[in-house]
Amino acid sequence: MKYLALDCEFTGLLPGVHNLLTAAFIVAEEDGTIVDTLDLAVLPDDSPRGRGNYNVCMDAMRVNQIDLIRHDEVAYTREEATKLLKAFLKKHTDPEASIMYMNSGIDYPVLPFGYLIPLGHNMNLDIQFIKLYFKD
């Protein structure tokens, strides 16, 4: 069994109103050994690089301390980030395990991560932002 730790930063706390800025993923074994990581800085919606239109809550920006000008220059487009995340998850999931997991009766508030068990702080909010951003 493997785990998927996830953490996100946003421009505020309202999915659908504020923007996802970063999404970090760590795949780990049961003993805590890190297998792989993916760290994504993302542009809002379908903005071109260097032209992001952010809906910002200043309290959130004080907490995450992300420099939006620098972020906007290096962040992935939605299309780029989606390809990277799909490849990362595909590399670490097993379709057969996904079917068994879905039929197991275990109820976790998860994205389709196959047999990866998600974990994180305030994970439900992170997952809401991830689902909205990575719609495919």
Side-chain angles (χ1 to χ4, degrees), residues 109-126:
V110 298
L111 296 170
F113 293 142
Y115 70 103
L116 298 173
I117 305 293
L119 56 97
H121 177 72
N122 203 6
M123 188 174 61
N124 288 333
L125 185 60
D126 289 350

Side-chain angles (χ1 to χ4, degrees), residues 16-92:
V17 174
H18 296 112
N19 306 101
L20 177 67
L21 292 173
T22 65
F25 304 89
I26 300 172
V27 174
E29 300 286 352
E30 283 186 75
D31 66 1
T33 302
I34 294 175
V35 176
D36 201 357
T37 64
L38 178 67
D39 192 7
L40 299 172
V42 297
L43 291 167
D45 303 320
D46 294 316
S47 298
R49 191 167 284 111
R51 309 284 281 180
N53 186 13
Y54 299 89
N55 187 4
V56 174
C57 170
M58 291 310 295
D59 286 340
M61 300 312 294
R62 281 186 198 95
V63 170
N64 67 41
Q65 298 186 4
I66 292 174
D67 177 344
L68 287 180
I69 294 171
R70 175 77 181 122
H71 174 86
D72 207 59
E73 294 169 350
V74 300
Y76 292 105
T77 65
R78 183 194 310 258
E79 182 179 343
E80 293 166 336
T82 298
K83 286 179 185 176
L84 289 168
L85 180 57
K86 282 183 177 182
F88 180 79
L89 293 175
K90 183 177 182 181
K91 180 173 155 183
H92 297 291

